[in-house]
Amino acid sequence: AQSVTQLDSQVPVFEEAPVELRCNYSSSVSVYLFWYVQYPNQGLQLLLKYLSGSTLVESINGFEAEFNKSQTSFHLRKPSVHISDTAEYFCALLRGGQNFVFGPGTRLSVLP
Amino acid sequence: NAGVTQTPKFQVLKTGQSMTLQCAQDMNHNSMYWYRQDPGMGLRLIYYSASEGTTDKGEVPNGYNVSRLNKREFSLRLESAAPSQTSVYFCASSEGLQHPSDTQYFGPGTRLTVL
């Protein structure tokens, strides 16, 4: 069975500080990995995804995630957060031909 | 393109009442999904439709039914609502499960309260 773990349910951080949101997965086969962001009272939006190739993927708003196969991780990072990054972040995996499996989410709160 | 749209945005039901949540997408996607989101549990798949004319159960199908009316529309029905179905419901669509890098696009959600 596949699963996604996000150990931190809430992460408070001050504006302009760096942040890392952790995601670990378990799967016996190759998977594709995604990060989705959900702003208050909105649906989920794709932030970035790892399909193949370079293990470091970036989003247009400064987030990046690194796929680490040996540690089965896909942690999300940003070197300097803004108030507008306050949201809930979901890690998800997809195995070809199967359905998405979502993690429980991490609520990022950026404090002034 | 409107993407994925859902109606209604909010709904309050009494226990035992029925209702249908509507979802439509204009991206010509083959696959559509219904999720529920509860605090601390992430998103859980209720039902999905891999292609027009097919529907399958997800992780938490009990108490729900679905209809893939056509390629654009996928509705979720609660026949006899229960307080445990109080949740936020999201519809999503994707190009198709046969695509290895399938990305899902989500609607804005329906917030349902069952009293």
Side-chain angles (χ1 to χ4, degrees):
Chain A
Q2 301 154 93
S3 68
V4 177
T5 303
Q6 293 179 250
L7 290 175
D8 305 305
S9 60
Q10 297 188 58
V11 174
V13 63
F14 287 106
E15 195 173 16
E16 298 184 5
V19 70
E20 179 180 81
L21 306 183
R22 295 181 291 169
C23 172
N24 289 88
Y25 69 94
S26 67
S27 175
S28 57
V29 298
S30 295
V31 296
Y32 304 97
L33 293 161
F34 301 75
W35 275 100
Y36 280 85
V37 59
Q38 183 181 31
Y39 298 104
N41 299 313
Q42 295 186 26
L44 278 71
Q45 302 172 34
L46 180 67
L47 190 60
L48 48 75
K49 60 184 176 183
Y50 170 76
L51 306 178
S52 64
S54 173
T55 57
L56 185 66
V57 290
E58 299 176 352
S59 72
I60 58 173
N61 57 354
F63 281 95
E64 63 179 31
E66 185 161 19
F67 171 63
N68 188 319
K69 188 174 181 180
S70 62
Q71 297 187 7
T72 60
S73 68
F74 190 54
H75 301 330
L76 183 70
R77 303 184 183 95
K78 189 170 185 179
S80 176
V81 294
H82 302 288
I83 296 286
S84 59
D85 293 323
T86 293
E88 190 151 18
Y89 292 80
F90 293 92
C91 183
L93 69 79
L94 175 69
R95 198 183 85 185
Q98 303 295 318
N99 286 310
F100 270 71
V101 176
F102 285 88
T106 297
R107 187 173 298 277
L108 173 64
S109 298
V110 181
L111 310 170
Chain B
N1 286 353
V4 180
T5 57
Q6 292 182 236
T7 55
K9 285 187 167 51
F10 301 94
Q11 184 70 51
V12 178
L13 294 177
K14 294 181 180 177
T15 297
Q17 287 185 316
S18 62
M19 78 159 296
T20 300
L21 282 66
Q22 306 287 353
C23 173
Q25 52 91 8
D26 62 1
M27 295 175 281
N28 200 35
H29 283 168
N30 293 307
S31 300
M32 297 184 74
Y33 312 81
W34 276 106
Y35 292 90
R36 60 177 289 173
Q37 183 182 30
D38 302 291
M41 303 188 75
L43 277 75
R44 292 182 293 169
L45 184 65
I46 304 171
Y47 270 93
Y48 68 100
S49 170
S51 61
E52 186 178 356
T54 68
T55 60
D56 287 285
K57 294 178 180 179
E59 183 184 352
V60 288
N62 291 345
Y64 305 95
N65 284 300
V66 291
S67 295
R68 183 73 182 267
L69 305 170
N70 47 54
K71 192 171 185 179
R72 289 187 65 249
E73 298 171 288
F74 188 39
S75 62
L76 178 72
R77 183 161 177 83
L78 286 71
E79 290 291 351
S80 179
S84 60
Q85 294 178 303
T86 293
S87 187
V88 181
Y89 291 84
F90 288 100
C91 178
S93 71
S94 69
E95 197 173 351
L97 290 174
Q98 71 277 15
H99 295 265
S101 61
D102 205 28
T103 298
Q104 295 195 2
Y105 297 85
F106 287 81
T110 294
R111 191 173 296 274
L112 175 67
T113 301
V114 183
L115 302 175

